[in-house]
Amino acid sequence: MMPSADLVLVLVLLSNFFLLGSSRLRAIVNGTALQGVLLGALTLLVHHELSLEPILVAVGATAIKAVVIPGMLTRAMREADIRREVEPFIGYVASLLLGAAGTGLAMVYARTLPLAPQHAGSLLVSTSLGTVVTGFLLLTTRRKAITQVAGYLVLENGVFIMGLTLIEAVPFFVEVGVLLDLLVAIFVMGIMLLQISREFASLDTTRLSSLKE
Amino acid sequence: MAIAIVIVPLALALLAAALPSAAWRGRLLPVGGAAHLAMTVSLLRTPSVDAFEGWVHLDGAGRLVLGFCSVLYFFTSLYAAGYLAAHPERPNRLFTACFLAFIGAFSLVAEAHHLALMWIAIEATTLASAPMLYFHRNPRALEATWKYLLIGSVAIAIALLGSLFLAYAALSSGMRPTLLFDDLVRDGPTLSRPWVRAAFLLLFVGYGTKMGLAPMHTWKPDAYGEAPGMVGALLAGVLTSAPFLAILRVYRVCGAAGDAAFMQRVLLAAGLFSMAVAAVFMVRQRDLKRMLAYSSVEHMGILSVGVGLGGAGFFGSLLHLVNNGLTKGVLFLAAANIHRAYASKSTEDVRGTIHRLPASGALFLAGFFAVTGSPPFGPFLSEFTILNAAVSTGRYGVAALFLGLLVLVFLGMGATVVGVVQGKPSGGGGLTDQRDTFASVAPGAALLAIVLMLGVYVPAPLDHLLREVAASLEAAR
């Protein structure tokens, strides 16, 4: 694995911590956009020879993850007129610590898995798991629906990184299918976001608690 | 035909989205249902269905699931047409398009023989069903849809990670990575065990959440509670079969990798736990549709227990998949009629349905007996087979727990159902002038007839298919 790819992976890990520590929704949306750009670059770096397909996947991933989806989230933010995450269920410092612990555990766990020779010493698997943990933390500890969508996006980014270890097994059209599914999922979530903000005049998901036993 | 069964519903969905007339959009649903059923029959009569170099291949398990789901979908589409015709004031463009697209995506799940392709199709069924949940467009439906969408999407992302882990298991032991089922099963013995185990756990959490196994079932009561009854029938019968099919296929791969015993322990524990959670929440349940949702959690648990036990349990589980799916159709369509007549689904308002809606009340009662495993209905046969599998392998503790939980569910659900069916029709609530009509009763009655038939006689082709799939699972050990 090329050292430049590992450098990008370290940047992805840093962006995870940035997301966990941010309270402004603007910063969170920008953080996910940055991750989108990093993943696009990573797609190009892990391929040994650059043919048309990896370039298309890289461009598609960057376009969807760094431009289209952040654009939809920004629009939802503007329509609902909210800027900040309020009082997450777990504080920012605590979620940073949890994120660090989760990433550390993911690294330790990834070391116990037998890696293929071409990935020995690479950060791909551990970064993937660390990013999945980050996404999961954002999803479960934040109140605003927009942050939850961003958390889902980060989780998907983690899965995407894992997919990069398998460039031979995952054919082009599967990559495209997965990206399209992600796009449609976020699109539907965006529509629901607007409905929620109209219906409840808020994007606070704690308002969504009338259904229980 | 293998491709048409995916494309034709999607094309009809586009047509529905484009049609200007709401009435014609409603009439399009049975057209889609009938076309799907016809194509399914034609596919089931074709000995070998292959396309795209093995990516699309209809195996035994796929045939089974596609077959009964197509029947359930057909009758549900007949009901839906009647429902939409009776409610011309409700906007139905998005609903009809999603209703049709849903079965196209589902057909691809049944046919996909590649883990990633199957994943894409399961995600598509989730996305197509979310707008159907939001049909009533009220805050409660919004909440249910949001939870369904978010939990479902996250679950499925975890399942994708698991699929990639499974492919990596081949790479890690120095082979060409693949996600084609047949190749994975063939390479099973050489796959790297730590990766296979991690992959199975991720796939189980992901697809188990989509099935609604406890403790990952939290979306289910909300979704089934707020969705229209006909959507509940599709979710409980068709949608949950897709992740179960995925788990069956993953089981074969992990079995070939020599890790079947571990998988079975997990499935058995999760299954019994789901049954227990469902039993607890079904006691004194005041909401009819939420009660059915917990019944679905229970039955997903039963399916999981059957696979966990192995042996005759495989056969029982597969038969139960069919029985439970069709019975859920009966119950949800009857509950939909009750909900429409009383404008409420709370047991405080709904009483004496047998007097107000004789046919729907009787269907609901019969559906209750069927789903709780009373003879002579189909689920009795399949639940008994699973119980028998536990006893014959000497696992008396499991057998006792299984039986005890079934009894508990019967009592808990029975108290609610009897209260709803019997008694004097209450004057309270917002009673509507909804009465039983042919269009609202016949689809559920037809499904009940099939469930009854499966209790006394399993047709030879179905029996062959069940045995073939059970044998392939048994061979995976």
Side-chain angles (χ1 to χ4, degrees), chain B residues 422-449:
Chain B
Q422 296 282 342
K424 273 170 70 174
S426 56
L431 283 179
T432 66
D433 54 3
Q434 169 79 24
R435 295 279 169 219
D436 277 336
T437 61
F438 181 74
S440 74
V441 172
L447 287 170
L448 185 69

Side-chain angles (χ1 to χ4, degrees), chain B residues 201-384:
Chain B
L201 285 175
L202 290 169
L203 285 160
F204 175 73
V205 168
Y207 289 136
T209 308
K210 288 292 300 162
M211 270 174 80
L213 285 170
M216 297 95 78
H217 67 287
T218 47
W219 59 273
K220 214 169 200 175
D222 296 349
Y224 290 15
E226 299 314 313
M230 52 197 172
V231 177
L234 288 188
L235 293 180
V238 181
L239 183 93
T240 47
S241 302
F244 182 65
L245 183 61
I247 286 184
L248 285 183
R249 287 177 175 160
V250 170
Y251 172 82
R252 281 191 60 200
V253 175
C254 294
D259 222 2
F262 172 72
M263 254 194 103
Q264 286 188 313
R265 274 204 301 280
V266 173
L267 286 169
L268 189 61
L272 288 172
F273 183 66
S274 302
M275 292 177 71
V277 166
V280 168
F281 281 96
M282 239 189 274
V283 177
R284 307 179 76 85
Q285 179 57 251
R286 292 174 177 283
D287 184 313
L288 282 186
K289 286 185 179 169
R290 288 179 81 88
M291 178 188 77
L292 295 183
Y294 283 111
S295 168
S296 176
V297 173
E298 178 216 345
H299 286 274
M300 291 302 128
I302 294 176
L303 296 180
S304 178
V305 168
V307 177
L309 285 169
F314 289 129
F315 183 88
S317 216
L318 294 165
L319 181 58
H320 196 66
L321 178 68
V322 178
N323 281 327
N324 172 55
L326 298 175
T327 313
K328 281 291 177 327
V330 179
L331 279 166
F332 270 103
L333 296 185
N337 289 338
I338 294 171
H339 192 177
R340 283 161 77 182
Y342 287 80
S344 165
K345 54 196 172 71
S346 160
T347 52
E348 283 160 26
D349 306 321
V350 182
R351 296 194 172 279
T353 45
I354 200 82
H355 302 295
R356 235 184 90 67
L357 299 169
S360 298
L363 274 180
F364 194 66
L365 189 63
F368 154 71
F369 279 117
V371 87
T372 48
S374 318
F377 296 103
F380 167 73
L381 195 61
S382 41
E383 286 174 11
F384 188 78

